Amino acid sequence: MCGKCLFNYELHPNNMTSRATAAAALVAAVIAAILYWPVRSYRFTYDDEGVIETGTYIKNWQNFFKIYEYGQSKHFGAMTDPQRPVCNLTLFADYSLYGDRPDGYHTTNLIFHAACSGLAAVLAAELGLDLAGCLAAGVLFAVLGVHVEPVAQINYREDLLACLFGVLCFIAYIRRSTALSLIALIFALGSKESAVAIFPALLALEIRASGYRGAVRMWRKWILHAAVLIGYLACLAWLSKLSQHPAVPLDRFRAMVAAFGTYAKLLFVPWPLNPDYVLDAAQPWITPWITPWIVAGFAGFCTAALGAVLLLRRWGTASFGILLLVFTLLPVSNLVPIYRPISERYLYFGSLGFALAAGHLISRIWRVGGAYRTPIRAISLSLYIVFAGGQAWAAYSQMPVWKDENALWTRTTEVSPRSFRAWEHIGTVKSRAGDRAGAVLAYSRAIEINPKSEKVMNDLGICAMEAGDLKEAKKWFRNAIELRPRYVIGICNFASVLMRENHLDNARKMLEIALKINPRSMPALFHMARLSLTEGNTDHARGYLSQCLSINPSETRCKMLRDELKKQSKWEPPGGETPDDILSDEPAGPYSGEQDTE
């Protein structure tokens, strides 16, 4: 430990050498890698499809900055996040290395989790814990059951990255390396918005080291971090990423109580894990629930936070850990309305504080002397092994839930029967498997839960269209458009039905409306090209198809239409692609999902 460090290790000795710290970090990282090794064989699930499979953003490095052009983000798929450039950068790199192979992306997530686990042990050492405390903190963080979701889900790696750079920021700040600390803070903020919690956590470190008055006198040490945070919030406002889901104060408070109460339970008993907690103050068809256990968990959080503030200098590491947990959860607890106020991945960064507090407790117990030293150590070690082992078992046993879409959403309906997202995705899974009847049943269940979902109406219309019931299909597409007049997907699919009925003029009018809403709409351009080809106007078909291929050269439907157009002329599409590309045998039918939204 250097003399320029934040803490005085002569007053708080930990007897940790660099080798001991490295050994503790290595043990934690290896345990994390072994525990989560099975995720490498998992497939894309949930949001991964919108980002990697159907999304176009990460498939061309030139798109990295295009997303910041006004109105461009919606053209790259439904799951693009311009406010998370660091996470996006890792996805670009993964796509360059692995393409559409999920094993590579999962390996990257595994590496990030192992790195976070090792750095948790390093941070514990920097905070003054001995070898026992460092090992306890690092290993517990590695095996916590609530980490399954962010590690197994590729698109949730923003939580891993925010934690990774947040820990690096803390370590650099403790060592008084201002430049490195600022760089790590910038990268953490560029990974996920919840990294704003890093700044108040840094102030807690200063207060722990120098007291409240001392922290004010040391303002030069943290003022640059405050400037970075203010600049980041200004950029966030510029990107117009503020909540679009207002809620009345009472509903907001109830959702916050439920969030903290649920998180308190999950930290100690991570069973059963749930990919979709049916509590959403932004969704009027769901009523926020409050139970005595939820209230008890919220009260426990408040008591722990108050105690951490009062005992910050006496129980430094434990208090810092508790405050870090609270700080990281506040931005995602519906204090500001968000679409999903409860999700296990929100606990990833905050659980670092939980692990540090546990490590501090083990460290204090391990230093107890006297005649009862050996039995106290044995009891504490046994309790720790049972707790950490239970966490590891919970993580390992529930990990297979994320192996594919069918397993994920089937499990979700078991633990959360009123999950709209689960029934919607089960309908999509069954539709892709050719089980049209099962898809209709799942979509019907989803529409019962949320009667105002234009996307599910669109999916029901597609099922009817595939069954040949054009009248039923038109009904569902019309309902979707009436609910949301600027729903481009629904408009295009309604036009597709009109084309099948040979009402070409009406279909063209509908597609022109869609292109007025979004001139770069892939479905609208594709259907317009197909309509022009049906009418025998190959020149117009070439123009529309060229625009499609310029947006996404790998779109299967465009390739199929391109080949059909080549049979009628000697036209060469942009890029000089050949007709030998891999094609799908599926007919050019309707579009589903949120591939194109206004």
Side-chain angles (χ1 to χ4, degrees):
M1 303 297 176
C2 64
K4 297 181 180 180
C5 290
L6 176 63
F7 301 119
N8 184 350
Y9 289 100
E10 293 180 359
L11 297 179
H12 304 282
N14 62 357
N15 300 320
M16 285 289 287
T17 63
S18 298
R19 288 186 179 181
T21 302
L26 181 62
V27 169
V30 169
I31 290 176
I34 293 174
L35 177 63
Y36 282 95
W37 190 259
V39 302
R40 296 177 65 255
S41 62
Y42 292 177
R43 306 186 62 167
F44 294 128
T45 55
Y46 201 11
D47 292 345
D48 296 343
E49 178 185 359
V51 175
I52 302 168
E53 293 187 297
T54 62
T56 61
Y57 178 54
I58 67 171
K59 297 179 179 178
N60 189 334
W61 281 94
Q62 295 179 353
N63 293 337
F64 186 77
F65 291 105
K66 283 186 179 180
I67 200 173
Y68 299 102
E69 299 176 10
Y70 179 75
Q72 290 295 312
S73 62
K74 63 185 178 183
H75 302 314
F76 294 117
M79 302 306 303
T80 50
D81 288 314
Q83 78 278 21
R84 298 171 183 174
V86 175
C87 182
N88 291 339
L89 191 62
T90 66
L91 292 172
F92 271 88
D94 273 359
Y95 187 80
S96 298
L97 293 172
Y98 312 115
D100 292 327
R101 288 169 36 221
D103 59 326
Y105 298 85
H106 284 299
T107 300
T108 303
N109 272 28
L110 181 63
I111 292 172
F112 286 147
H113 177 56
C116 289
S117 301
L119 287 173
V122 176
L123 178 60
E126 295 292 333
L127 290 170
L129 299 189
D130 57 14
L131 180 59
C134 294
L135 279 171
V139 171
L140 181 59
F141 184 82
V143 302
L144 280 174
V146 292
H147 292 171
V148 172
E149 184 177 84
V151 178
Q153 172 72 23
I154 296 167
N155 194 44
Y156 292 162
R157 69 170 52 166
E158 64 260 19
D159 295 278
L160 309 180
L161 290 167
C163 180
L164 176 66
F165 290 111
V167 176
L168 290 174
C169 179
F170 294 142
I171 293 173
Y173 189 85
I174 291 172
R175 295 185 176 184
R176 289 307 191 195
S177 179
T178 303
L180 292 178
S181 180
L182 286 170
I183 292 172
L185 176 60
I186 292 171
F187 274 78
L189 292 171
S191 300
K192 190 173 183 181
E193 303 89 316
S194 58
V196 296
I198 292 175
F199 178 69
L202 291 178
L203 291 182
L205 286 176
E206 278 290 353
I207 294 171
R208 179 202 166 186
S210 310
Y212 290 95
R213 293 183 179 179
V216 175
R217 290 195 300 269
M218 298 293 288
W219 63 270
R220 292 182 182 86
K221 300 295 183 181
W222 50 260
I223 191 64
L224 291 177
H225 297 78
V228 168
L229 178 61
I230 293 172
Y232 168 76
L233 293 176
C235 291
L236 204 61
W238 174 71
L239 289 170
S240 301
K241 279 300 191 180
L242 299 179
S243 172
Q244 299 178 1
H245 309 282
V248 297
L250 178 59
D251 285 343
R252 193 183 306 174
F253 177 74
R254 288 195 299 177
M256 185 172 66
V257 171
F260 274 102
T262 303
Y263 293 143
K265 178 260 182 185
L266 287 173
L267 283 172
F268 290 95
V269 185
W271 186 278
L273 297 179
N274 187 351
D276 187 29
Y277 290 86
V278 184
L279 164 66
D280 204 330
Q283 298 177 346
W285 60 91
I286 295 175
T287 302
W289 41 266
I290 297 294
T291 68
W293 290 107
I294 294 295
V295 174
F298 178 72
F301 253 111
C302 294
T303 303
L306 179 61
V309 171
L310 296 177
L311 300 174
L312 183 56
R313 302 206 68 189
R314 183 174 179 181
W315 285 71
T317 303
S319 296
F320 169 75
I322 293 172
L323 291 177
L324 176 62
L325 175 60
V326 174
F327 291 153
T328 54
L329 290 180
L330 277 176
V332 291
S333 64
N334 216 44
L335 188 64
V336 175
I338 58 177
Y339 187 67
R340 185 179 300 178
I342 296 181
S343 184
E344 290 154 14
R345 67 183 186 273
Y346 298 159
L347 267 174
Y348 189 84
F349 193 3
S351 63
L352 171 66
F354 180 73
L356 290 173
H360 178 87
L361 180 62
I362 292 294
S363 181
R364 292 292 291 259
I365 293 175
W366 218 249
R367 292 178 182 176
V368 172
Y372 297 102
R373 178 178 183 179
T374 300
I376 289 176
R377 283 189 173 188
I379 293 173
S380 64
L381 181 61
S382 300
L383 291 175
Y384 175 83
I385 291 175
V386 169
F387 182 69
Q391 292 281 345
W393 174 81
Y396 187 80
S397 61
Q398 298 182 95
M399 214 180 298
V401 169
W402 290 88
K403 66 180 181 180
D404 56 40
E405 286 278 284
N406 186 51
L408 174 64
W409 298 115
T410 300
R411 174 59 174 170
T412 304
T413 58
E414 293 172 357
V415 297
S416 186
R418 285 190 54 80
S419 170
F420 164 76
R421 298 182 186 93
W423 289 110
E424 176 193 8
H425 281 83
I426 285 179
T428 302
V429 170
K430 292 188 177 297
S431 178
R432 290 174 180 170
D435 183 4
R436 191 177 298 116
V440 171
L441 287 175
Y443 287 138
S444 300
R445 179 72 176 116
I447 209 72
E448 288 177 9
I449 298 172
N450 177 12
K452 296 184 178 181
S453 172
E454 71 279 355
K455 183 180 180 300
V456 175
M457 293 178 184
N458 178 72
D459 292 333
L460 283 167
I462 292 174
C463 290
M465 193 173 178
E466 291 174 345
D469 190 347
L470 299 185
K471 182 178 179 180
E472 183 73 5
K474 286 176 68 175
K475 183 195 79 172
W476 284 114
F477 291 143
R478 185 182 291 110
N479 290 344
I481 298 170
E482 290 175 353
L483 182 65
R484 184 178 167 193
R486 296 175 68 85
Y487 186 47
V488 175
I489 293 286
I491 295 172
C492 292
N493 288 337
F494 190 84
S496 181
V497 175
L498 294 175
M499 290 169 63
R500 292 196 180 189
E501 294 178 336
N502 206 31
H503 298 156
L504 302 185
D505 291 338
N506 291 336
R508 180 173 292 277
K509 291 178 182 178
M510 295 295 294
L511 293 174
E512 287 174 352
I513 293 172
L515 287 173
K516 285 182 180 179
I517 297 172
N518 183 1
R520 285 174 56 86
S521 165
M522 277 285 297
L525 291 169
F526 169 77
H527 283 300
M528 191 66 90
R530 192 158 62 92
L531 176 61
S532 299
L533 188 60
T534 302
E535 294 174 335
N537 194 336
T538 56
D539 290 336
H540 284 180
R542 293 169 188 168
Y544 289 121
L545 191 55
S546 294
Q547 294 183 62
C548 284
L549 292 171
S550 67
I551 297 172
N552 184 9
S554 62
E555 173 64 34
T556 301
R557 298 173 187 230
C558 291
K559 289 182 178 181
M560 296 175 66
L561 188 60
R562 176 202 60 195
D563 275 3
E564 186 177 346
L565 188 57
K566 278 186 175 183
K567 293 177 182 178
Q568 300 185 20
S569 65
K570 296 182 179 179
W571 174 70
E572 279 293 328
E577 298 176 4
T578 66
D580 298 326
D581 294 316
I582 298 175
L583 301 178
S584 172
D585 293 331
E586 296 179 0
Y591 276 79
S592 62
E594 295 289 346
Q595 297 152 311
D596 180 62
T597 55
E598 188 276 320

